[in-house]
Amino acid sequence: MSQFEDLNRLLAQGIISRREFMGRATALGATAALSSTILSSPSFAAMPKQGGHFKIGMGQGSTTDSLDPATTLHTGTQIVNHAVYNYLTEVSNTGDLVGELAASWEASPDAKVWNMKLQKGVTFHNGKSFGPEDVIASINHHRGKDSKSAAKPIVDPITDISADGTDGVKFTLSGGNADFPFLMSDYHLAILPSKDGKIDATGGIGSGAFVLEKFDPGVKITMKRNPNYWKSGKGHFDSAEILVIADVAARTNALTTGATMAMDRCDLKTVHLLKRNKSITVTKNTGTQHYTLPMNAGRAPFDDVHVRLALKYAINREALVKTVLRGYGAVGNDHPIGASQLYFNKDLEQRIYDPDKAKFHLKKAGMSSLDVTLSSSDAAFAGAVDTAVLYKEHAAKAGINITVNRVPADGYWSNVWMKDPWSMSYWGGRPTEDWMFSQAYAAGAEWNESFWNNERFNKLLLEARAELDSAKRREMYGEMQKLVRDDGASVIPMFASYVGALAKNVGHDKMGANWDMDGLRCMERWWLV
Amino acid sequence: MALGLIVLFVVSLIIFLGVELLPGDLAQAMLGQQATEETLAAFRKELRLDLPMHTRYLEWLFNILHGDFGRSLANGREISELIGVRLGNTLFLALFSALIAVPLSLTLGILAAMYRNSFFDRAVNILTLSSISFPEFFIAYILIFVFSIKLGWMPSLSNVSTETPIGERLFVSLMPALTLTLVVVAHMMRMTRAAIINLLASSYIEMANLKGLSRARVILRHALPNAWAPIINVIVINLAYLIVGVVIVEVVFVYPGLGQLIVDSVQKRDIPVVQACSLIFAATYIMLNLTADILSIITNPRLLHPK
């Protein structure tokens, strides 16, 4: 274990490269997935223990936060959702899909109709017993013309939901989707108790491991254990509180002085100092979160695939991971599928920094030099502006002149992203390939940030979605990753890890990498030793 | 008073227009990267953001005249309830800091004037000027580093709530109050010193000295009463600062005051909350200025009859 730690320190300090790290880690007998989580396992094998008061400091959180799952925006409220509410399905800590309120499910052969059998004997915090009507009302909260839900594009393909007996729900979709149960684990789609076919979206009543006591948005959220929780082996704290501590130095101080027991979003610039503290463990999870630089494929010069390739060869990914992420991440290969995902294409060659190849593609595009403007703001991700400036230096060697246009973080998503020809963005990632591709790469998708339209890709996407044979899907998703990598209009230089810190007395199993904070389920999964 | 009300009205209009001019609106801020045209439209309709600007302003004005601050657009909570607790926290911290800072700076100022150009005078000046020159967050971090991390005497978080008992509240608020004290002391102390020294050149002070009065008596009984007016004005400006300008200290110590609320609300374009907060801030300034005028006149009735 200590050898890994040494390796990781060398990596963080830039003494060895990422590639070397992976090589040496493999030599030590670690798989890629293991070496990314190896550091975070002090209480790995310990048995969960009941009791205690858990305090966590979260970086995101605002007075304007709401309990309405339709507008859940950031990790601060996402973990509240997963503590207070349950979902139909859950992505487990090993990345598999398991049932939560849905006990089991089966699809029609064309994957258009889904029958879900619901858990029996579940009661909400207000005493109402859980039934199909709650599922229908909760999902309908996000559907329909008047929906303001951020999850609307996810539930839009549902044409009908109906009860199937007293413990079943039938979903009818407009097109086949083999990943439909995965979609139901989305953090917006919480199941709340219904009353007359409607849910009280801001009432804070769910069936989760914790009963909400006080919701003081932007300050503190307190909850106590649900004594009637239906899941066994989950929800260990007697009570818990989430403190919103926006300032990273204050958040770190709170953890080091024992005022909190966990924090998210460590300051990567100082995390090596935090690691020296013997009573604290720094956790790192590299999953699906990645940073993108989407070009508008419909506008010159980005409509030429050679220009896009030139730009992709002109970025030094290793250097960015080393400097911007301080080693807490992995290089990207210009497609959005993470190495931990089921259908990740292992045979695809990693694209590296190659100014000569960039020049070659520029020549193919009929240019000797290229002037482009990249709009950048730290609203896209922490370190976005630094990334843009470094990229400018890398690209200059290939005869590409990037002008970095620094824009305000305020209103970035509404005024710059998908408006300027070339901007920066991030994706928390989605648990399935189909989900990621359909939201951000399918032609006509609301968030197709690069306005990319590839006929073959779009055809494969529809076919793979309705395909239930796993081997065939692997082949199709493999080809799609290649298409996005070689023809797509997004430069995807890196996958960023979630870096948090825990006091030594916080116990946990292997952490989920699908989202931050143990797949957002830290409240019900962690315990105090 | 009438003038004050007009100022409040103008402030509310400027703030409203200012927030309107900012790019984006609440629906976009709340949905962020996940917004789509349809959901934005539905969101705006629900919040009545699709109505023209003047309609929304007049509606708001009508309600406020009837004592109704309205609800937060972002989470539907009553603004009066949202602000009530926070305003209490802010006032508590301001009062606490003022109780430390005002007596301290008056004492230091008077002593500095008494022992003018002495080592004591120089030392006090250098110390207070250095503390005002550092950014607030830097002072806060230094205090946290020394008292929370190295010595472990004080908590680094001051997240008080309504249930916090008064003793504990004073204890956890001490560090933010000290930070604020260090920031405001220099201004008040130097004004006290300057106002007194200014008077020491007057002939009636010379008379008092010639009578053989002690230095302390000359300054406290003869000079100070005439120096109150400018000192009060500076104290009041600093009090207003303690109420409206402490957002950075709030963030560093995670103290739930009004500053954090208004920053959050501006970011999300939650206009009714921004409006309510700015009205409170504007009213604070107006009230404190009024108080300063009244107090100045009480200490020096000659001000009622300008030459």
Side-chain angles (χ1 to χ4, degrees):
Chain A
M1 194 80 77
S2 67
Q3 275 170 303
F4 280 113
E5 228 145 349
D6 286 346
L7 270 184
N8 205 61
R9 203 193 63 247
L10 291 174
L11 176 72
Q13 292 169 353
I15 295 168
I16 58 170
S17 72
R18 173 102 204 143
R19 177 165 299 167
E20 204 175 336
F21 168 73
M22 291 312 282
R24 288 204 208 171
T26 318
L28 285 167
T31 63
L34 182 63
S35 50
S36 62
T37 50
I38 198 95
L39 287 165
S40 58
S41 44
S43 332
F44 196 65
M47 281 298 285
K49 217 177 100 188
Q50 192 90 23
H53 181 69
F54 180 63
K55 283 170 128 184
I56 182 169
M58 297 293 291
Q60 290 167 301
S62 157
T63 331
T64 52
D65 289 343
S66 153
L67 278 172
D68 185 348
T71 55
T72 300
L73 190 59
H74 51 69
T75 330
T77 39
Q78 281 162 358
I79 65 169
V80 178
N81 281 8
H82 287 81
V84 177
Y85 308 130
N86 286 132
Y87 294 75
L88 282 175
T89 57
E90 169 183 354
V91 177
S92 77
N93 59 342
T94 49
D96 307 314
L97 187 74
V98 296
E100 192 170 28
L101 286 174
S104 64
W105 50 83
E106 55 187 32
S108 62
D110 59 356
K112 261 189 174 180
V113 180
W114 286 84
N115 283 299
M116 290 193 161
K117 280 274 170 266
L118 304 180
Q119 293 283 358
K120 284 181 205 145
V122 177
T123 49
F124 288 102
H125 302 154
N126 63 0
K128 182 188 180 309
S129 61
F130 164 68
E133 68 280 6
D134 303 313
V135 176
I136 295 169
S138 299
I139 300 298
N140 278 342
H141 178 59
H142 306 273
R143 292 173 72 212
K145 203 160 67 56
D146 295 330
S147 159
K148 58 172 186 182
S149 172
K152 188 163 187 265
I154 300 173
V155 294
D156 256 351
I158 302 176
T159 52
D160 185 59
I161 314 177
S162 57
D164 180 12
T166 53
D167 63 344
V169 180
K170 189 171 98 176
F171 294 89
T172 313
L173 312 181
S174 56
N177 189 345
D179 286 335
F180 179 74
F182 262 108
L183 296 180
M184 290 297 107
S185 71
D186 179 76
Y187 62 83
H188 299 101
L189 302 178
I191 305 300
L192 278 65
S194 68
K195 202 183 165 210
D196 309 322
K198 289 252 185 248
I199 56 164
D200 176 8
T202 54
I205 307 270
S207 55
F210 290 90
V211 181
L212 195 67
E213 274 192 309
K214 196 163 166 236
F215 181 69
D216 191 355
V219 183
K220 186 155 78 172
I221 297 134
T222 51
M223 45 188 81
K224 60 175 194 294
R225 196 162 57 87
N226 175 5
N228 307 316
Y229 194 40
W230 60 277
K231 264 195 215 178
S232 60
K234 289 287 161 69
H236 307 293
F237 310 122
D238 283 339
S239 55
E241 66 187 83
I242 298 168
L243 296 170
V244 177
I245 310 178
D247 183 43
V248 67
R251 200 156 67 245
T252 315
N253 286 336
L255 181 68
T256 48
T257 56
T260 60
M261 295 156 193
M263 67 178 275
D264 70 338
R265 301 184 164 225
C266 291
D267 185 356
L268 295 183
K269 295 191 183 89
T270 57
V271 74
H272 62 285
L273 300 174
L274 189 63
K275 275 189 173 169
R276 286 189 203 156
N277 190 324
K278 296 256 180 306
S279 55
I280 285 167
T281 325
V282 173
T283 61
K284 168 189 162 178
N285 271 302
T286 311
T288 51
Q289 175 177 241
H290 58 276
Y291 299 157
T292 66
L293 285 74
M295 314 166 219
N296 185 333
R299 279 160 75 167
F302 305 119
D303 52 353
D304 187 333
V305 66
H306 287 292
V307 170
R308 309 204 287 256
L309 278 171
L311 288 168
K312 286 175 182 176
Y313 277 112
I315 190 165
N316 188 342
R317 296 148 208 265
E318 303 267 348
L320 288 176
V321 170
K322 211 180 285 177
T323 50
V324 175
L325 300 180
R326 313 251 163 187
Y328 287 92
V331 289
N333 198 12
D334 294 324
H335 67 74
I337 306 305
S340 62
Q341 286 183 267
L342 187 58
Y343 297 123
F344 174 73
N345 188 343
K346 290 185 191 69
D347 307 325
L348 213 52
E349 195 200 340
Q350 171 64 46
R351 180 166 286 146
I352 51 165
Y353 178 48
D354 192 340
D356 290 331
K357 268 209 176 134
K359 276 188 194 146
F360 167 77
H361 283 288
L362 268 194
K363 205 178 275 171
K364 277 223 160 177
M367 299 174 187
S368 57
S369 71
L370 173 65
D371 288 284
V372 277
T373 303
L374 172 61
S375 299
S376 163
S377 158
D378 278 350
F381 54 88
V385 178
D386 295 344
T387 304
V389 173
L390 289 168
Y391 190 6
K392 175 192 163 78
E393 296 302 321
H394 303 157
K397 292 210 180 89
I400 299 170
N401 176 25
I402 298 176
T403 310
V404 178
N405 174 24
R406 188 176 182 166
V407 293
D410 243 15
Y412 178 81
W413 298 111
S414 38
N415 302 320
V416 179
W417 180 63
M418 292 183 72
K419 299 276 193 300
D420 285 7
W422 196 18
S423 60
M424 304 180 90
S425 161
Y426 83 102
W427 288 89
R430 301 292 181 265
T432 67
E433 290 75 11
D434 175 64
W435 196 343
M436 190 65 237
F437 283 143
S438 349
Q439 284 202 328
Y441 297 87
E446 200 79 52
W447 302 319
N448 179 355
E449 53 183 7
S450 56
F451 300 91
W452 186 55
N453 187 352
N454 182 303
E455 219 171 295
R456 172 81 184 144
F457 176 90
N458 295 324
K459 190 165 153 280
L460 278 173
L461 183 65
L462 287 180
E463 280 173 16
R465 188 182 296 160
E467 179 61 61
L468 292 168
D469 178 357
S470 183
K472 280 189 192 154
R473 294 188 86 192
R474 178 175 297 280
E475 204 173 295
M476 289 192 243
Y477 285 126
E479 185 182 345
M480 285 156 79
Q481 286 166 50
K482 190 167 180 333
L483 283 171
V484 176
R485 169 181 177 265
D486 296 336
D487 186 69
S490 285
V491 183
I492 304 178
M494 50 195 164
F495 279 70
S497 308
Y498 297 111
V499 183
L502 300 176
K504 282 272 196 260
N505 65 342
V506 178
H508 60 87
D509 203 341
K510 176 185 179 334
M511 287 204 204
N514 53 324
W515 290 105
D516 199 1
M517 307 317 290
D518 206 346
L520 302 176
R521 289 178 179 268
C522 56
M523 302 303 261
E524 75 163 31
R525 286 182 185 169
W526 296 355
W527 63 89
L528 292 175
V529 183
Chain B
M1 278 312 278
L3 199 65
L5 286 177
I6 293 172
V7 172
L8 280 183
F9 172 72
V10 174
V11 165
S12 81
L13 199 60
I14 292 175
I15 297 288
F16 185 84
L17 289 175
V19 178
E20 281 291 321
L21 283 177
L22 287 172
D25 64 9
L26 180 111
Q28 285 173 332
M30 289 293 282
L31 293 172
Q33 193 192 13
Q34 301 172 337
T36 68
E37 282 306 321
E38 268 176 60
T39 48
L40 282 179
F43 209 153
R44 285 187 186 125
K45 198 164 166 219
E46 186 187 304
L47 298 172
R48 304 163 64 81
L49 285 174
D50 52 339
L51 298 177
M53 205 157 81
H54 59 270
T55 322
R56 281 183 287 132
Y57 179 72
L58 289 177
E59 250 179 25
W60 175 82
L61 192 65
F62 179 82
N63 288 334
I64 207 102
L65 290 176
H66 290 75
D68 179 10
F69 276 106
R71 281 169 181 277
S72 154
L73 294 181
N75 54 17
R77 299 210 308 173
E78 284 281 352
I79 291 177
S80 44
E81 175 197 324
L82 199 65
I83 285 184
V85 179
R86 299 242 177 180
L87 181 62
N89 289 344
T90 293
L91 291 178
F92 176 82
L93 183 59
L95 190 70
F96 190 17
S97 321
L99 284 179
I100 305 174
V102 173
L104 183 69
S105 42
L106 285 180
T107 317
L108 288 178
I110 292 168
L111 287 175
M114 255 201 253
Y115 304 103
R116 181 152 52 124
N117 299 332
S118 67
F119 173 76
F120 172 78
D121 181 24
R122 300 256 155 81
V124 166
N125 265 308
I126 288 172
L127 282 179
T128 52
L129 281 178
S130 340
S131 72
I132 203 177
S133 311
F134 287 124
E136 291 155 321
F137 64 86
F138 183 72
I139 297 181
Y141 284 149
I142 296 278
L143 288 180
I144 290 179
F145 181 72
V146 175
F147 293 106
S148 305
I149 296 180
K150 285 290 155 200
L151 298 172
W153 293 350
M154 308 291 295
S156 71
L157 297 183
S158 311
N159 52 335
V160 297
S161 70
T162 39
E163 297 102 50
T164 318
I166 182 75
E168 193 189 330
R169 188 180 259 263
L170 284 171
F171 178 64
V172 299
S173 314
L174 186 60
M175 294 247 286
L178 278 181
T179 310
L180 289 172
T181 302
L182 286 172
V183 172
V184 297
V185 147
H187 195 190
M188 293 192 280
M189 169 259 156
R190 285 181 64 82
M191 186 46 121
T192 310
R193 179 180 177 276
I196 292 174
I197 288 176
N198 209 13
L199 288 170
L200 290 184
S202 330
S203 40
Y204 80 95
I205 298 290
E206 205 175 340
M207 178 64 197
N209 280 331
L210 290 174
K211 278 197 294 191
L213 295 180
S214 72
R215 188 143 55 154
R217 195 171 167 84
V218 169
I219 287 183
L220 290 178
R221 291 296 300 271
H222 294 260
L224 192 57
N226 282 307
W228 272 129
I231 296 175
I232 286 172
N233 271 303
V234 167
I235 290 179
V236 161
I237 286 180
N238 280 293
L239 286 184
Y241 166 81
L242 287 178
I243 295 175
V244 309
V246 299
V247 62
I248 291 170
V249 175
E250 282 177 15
V251 169
V252 172
F253 288 103
V254 198
Y255 187 88
L258 269 188
Q260 190 60 50
L261 177 66
I262 196 169
V263 170
D264 283 350
S265 308
V266 170
Q267 269 174 359
K268 293 278 160 45
R269 315 282 184 264
D270 197 343
I271 297 184
V273 182
V274 179
Q275 291 274 61
C277 289
S278 18
L279 277 191
I280 289 175
F281 287 168
T284 308
Y285 261 102
I286 294 169
M287 292 299 289
L288 283 173
N289 265 317
L290 199 66
T291 320
D293 288 348
I294 293 171
L295 285 177
S296 304
I297 288 169
I298 292 174
T299 58
N300 188 353
R302 279 175 301 179
L303 290 172
L304 264 186
H305 309 286
K307 279 174 206 159

